Amino acid sequence: PETEGSLQCSSLSVEKCEGSSVVVAVMELPGLDWDALARREEEYELELTPFHPLDQEQDGPMGEGLMCVPLAKDEDFVKKWGQ
């Protein structure tokens, strides 16, 4: 369906869990305004995270992407953005 101009969006945040993994779609966002992204996702840390292909044919990560990780506590938000 046509979504341009419809203000439809999606979101995904993750929490780290040792020994676990998640399958996600990875895409490039040309012209991304990093400051605007940080303000929009203010309750998250934007962490560079390595990603691997599903087929596991190569050693090591295929690249790095941003992962939205929730801030651990309210104090972290205040430390990052102020009162």
Side-chain angles (χ1 to χ4, degrees):
E2 180 63 41
T3 59
E4 186 173 340
S6 68
L7 300 179
Q8 293 182 9
C9 62
S10 64
S11 177
L12 170 69
S13 67
V14 297
E15 293 186 32
K16 292 182 180 180
C17 181
E18 193 67 37
S20 295
S21 64
V22 61
V23 175
V24 298
V26 177
M27 66 196 90
E28 290 187 36
L29 302 172
L32 179 65
D33 181 339
W34 293 100
D35 292 332
L37 176 65
R39 285 190 305 275
R40 187 183 77 218
E41 304 297 341
E42 64 184 6
E43 67 274 16
Y44 300 103
E45 289 291 343
L46 302 175
E47 296 186 7
L48 274 178
T49 305
F51 60 87
H52 303 264
L54 288 176
D55 59 19
Q56 299 295 324
E57 289 181 11
Q58 73 181 54
D59 289 335
M62 181 181 232
E64 283 189 320
L66 286 178
M67 182 168 61
C68 295
V69 179
L71 294 169
K73 49 189 179 270
D74 290 343
E75 292 81 17
D76 293 340
F77 182 89
V78 172
K79 182 178 176 183
K80 183 175 179 179
W81 296 103
Q83 295 261 354

